[in-house]
Amino acid sequence: METRIKTLGDEVSRYKISNRDEAEQFRLKFLSKKGLIHILFEEFKTIAPEKRRSVGKILNELKTSAEIKLAEWHEREETEKTRQAPSSYTPDLTLPPYPFDLGARHPVSIVKKRITDIFLKIGFTISEGPEIEDDWHNFGALNFPEDHPARDMQDTFFIDFAVEGVPARNSYLLRTHTSSVQVRVMESRKPPIRTISPGRVYRNETISARAHCQFHQVEGLYIDKGVSFADLKQTLYYFVRELFGEHTGIRFRPSFFPFTEPSAEMDISCIICGGAGCNVCKHSGWVEILGCGMVHPKVLENCKIDSYVYTGFAFGTGVERIAMMLYGIKDLRLFYENDIRFLSQFRSAL
Ligand code: PHE
């Protein structure tokens, strides 16, 4: 029996399978119910018990080698099929393509650009400055006296590190407004100055639907001979009408800022309810959108500009607040969560 198993083993290994028919013939001849290997297994049942072990082993090996041979052929055929697939595949060119997801501008960037574009049209330039500021540019030059409660108006993140040659404590901070950039502009340029400074600012506030520890501002500055409050009002009327539309109502309320005198806050009629009263305007019909005023003579002097010759106005507005008005967004936190469901809604505003 062993010799027959061995001869059959040789036959199996020499057998050439090159197509589907030959594979089937191979299977019938060796591996089917009536195949040669099966017959040997039947015979195996009758052999002497002491031979069982050795014969059983080579018989099993024979069966396995035949099975492997057949399986290998099937595998080869599969790979061959997939390799040939592209040539037999005719794409349907009329099908719509897979959607291609484009990114979009962030709503804060969209609104920041809309605001700056309005001022660029009337001759303002754009100036930028550092987000980490010193006390002088954020407060000192802007007439916030040391230890004056006015500093509490803006809860500040101080940076508590020592730098060589600089007094150690609280010398640096994250800017609380971009008025700091305007100080830098006044220090380095001669009037006439007509510039806006867009940028990110930081305040130590508890994060809620209406407040955040970071937001964006666009602040403006105009300094020349004979600039008056009438120029300030006219510029801001133009700005509001360009941004919110011809029929937007505007009103000024007296206010206080250390760096402007007189100071005002400007409200517009609520664009959500048209002035009738709603949640956004707290049922008053008006929404505050910016602070403004005539640059304080002390600020001009701090920046080496002669306050007897020059006057100027300044204003500052929050980008997120305007975006909330324009798009009817009710929660400030949405701007910083990077939720694609929120951001993708601004795709068409590119
Ligand atoms: N800097 C002020 C703020 O951050 C805004 C402002 C700018 C007010 C210029 C008056 C003039 O709130």
Side-chain angles (χ1 to χ4, degrees):
M1 192 169 175
E2 280 112 310
T3 23
R4 276 172 43 227
I5 294 174
K6 210 180 157 314
T7 331
L8 210 52
D10 289 344
E11 203 180 328
V12 164
S13 62
R14 266 187 277 113
Y15 204 100
K16 267 225 163 87
I17 307 179
S18 44
N19 56 42
R20 190 170 280 271
D21 284 347
E22 286 172 12
E24 182 57 8
Q25 276 162 23
F26 178 86
R27 192 188 67 81
L28 288 172
K29 181 166 184 186
F30 297 103
L31 291 163
S32 69
K33 271 267 155 66
K34 290 179 186 158
L36 296 171
I37 295 176
H38 194 76
I39 294 169
L40 284 175
F41 268 99
E42 287 298 313
E43 234 174 86
F44 175 73
K45 290 176 187 161
T46 63
I47 65 167
E50 65 272 14
K51 282 199 150 184
R52 286 233 159 137
R53 216 186 140 88
S54 59
V55 176
K57 185 168 177 274
I58 53 170
L59 188 54
N60 270 325
E61 281 167 3
L62 169 67
K63 189 180 174 211
T64 316
S65 71
E67 282 169 349
I68 289 176
K69 186 152 185 143
L70 191 61
E72 276 175 355
W73 182 81
H74 279 298
E75 209 172 290
R76 249 183 289 131
E77 198 198 35
E78 264 320 296
T79 11
E80 192 69 4
K81 246 201 255 163
T82 35
R83 205 159 56 80
Q84 283 175 357
S87 61
S88 58
Y89 166 69
T90 337
D92 180 354
L93 296 176
T94 64
L95 286 175
Y98 286 113
F100 185 73
D101 256 356
L102 276 182
R105 269 183 192 249
H106 193 280
V108 168
S109 308
I110 295 169
V111 173
K112 196 168 75 177
K113 184 168 184 306
R114 277 185 66 180
I115 298 173
T116 49
D117 280 352
I118 291 172
F119 287 102
L120 287 176
K121 272 203 269 178
I122 52 169
F124 279 73
T125 57
I126 293 181
S127 37
E128 287 178 332
E131 289 181 20
I132 296 178
E133 262 301 0
D134 50 39
D135 187 276
W136 171 253
H137 290 97
N138 196 80
F139 291 128
L142 289 162
N143 198 31
F144 285 81
E146 263 324 308
D147 300 325
H148 189 280
R151 285 184 191 236
D152 296 340
M153 282 171 72
Q154 303 182 343
D155 302 296
T156 311
F157 287 116
F158 290 99
I159 298 172
D160 202 1
F161 66 86
V163 180
E164 233 182 87
V166 179
R169 277 195 63 80
N170 297 347
S171 303
Y172 288 93
L173 45 87
L174 295 179
R175 68 180 180 197
T176 60
H177 51 188
T178 55
S179 304
S180 56
V181 180
Q182 310 190 334
V183 173
R184 290 177 178 278
V185 171
M186 286 189 279
E187 283 175 338
S188 61
R189 267 197 256 154
K190 295 230 166 319
I193 293 170
R194 202 158 30 179
T195 191
I196 47 171
S197 33
R200 193 191 302 251
V201 300
Y202 303 86
R203 291 184 197 178
N204 192 355
E205 303 242 18
T206 311
I207 296 171
S208 72
R210 301 181 139 261
H212 209 287
C213 60
Q214 56 170 338
F215 58 98
H216 295 76
Q217 281 190 326
V218 176
E219 294 216 352
L221 176 72
Y222 181 21
I223 297 176
D224 204 348
K225 289 177 185 156
V227 176
S228 71
F229 204 91
D231 297 316
L232 165 62
K233 284 176 86 172
Q234 211 47 52
T235 308
L236 294 179
Y237 282 153
Y238 156 77
F239 163 62
V240 166
R241 287 178 179 152
E242 285 286 304
L243 192 60
F244 295 104
E246 256 331 283
H247 303 292
T248 319
I250 297 162
R251 76 176 185 188
F252 286 86
R253 279 178 293 106
S255 185
F256 171 79
F257 299 103
F259 37 89
T260 47
E261 183 58 37
S263 306
E265 272 167 322
M266 190 176 83
D267 299 340
I268 59 163
S269 55
C270 180
I271 62 164
I272 307 287
C273 64
C278 68
N279 282 340
V280 174
C281 61
K282 294 191 209 127
H283 300 282
S284 70
W286 296 94
V287 192
E288 182 208 318
I289 65 154
L290 57 76
C292 59
M294 299 305 293
V295 181
H296 198 295
K298 265 212 177 138
V299 174
L300 296 174
E301 298 298 333
N302 283 342
C303 300
K304 313 261 176 315
I305 293 174
D306 189 343
S307 64
Y308 287 93
V309 179
Y310 293 104
T311 52
F313 68 71
F315 57 88
T317 186
V319 179
E320 284 82 352
R321 175 174 287 215
I322 290 185
M324 287 168 93
M325 290 286 293
L326 285 172
Y327 297 120
I329 298 165
K330 294 211 173 66
D331 194 325
L332 188 59
R333 288 167 291 198
L334 285 166
F335 291 114
Y336 298 102
E337 280 167 358
N338 280 338
D339 188 330
I340 208 82
R341 291 167 302 177
F342 171 69
L343 296 176
S344 62
Q345 295 177 55
F346 300 91
R347 209 169 273 157
S348 56
L350 263 176

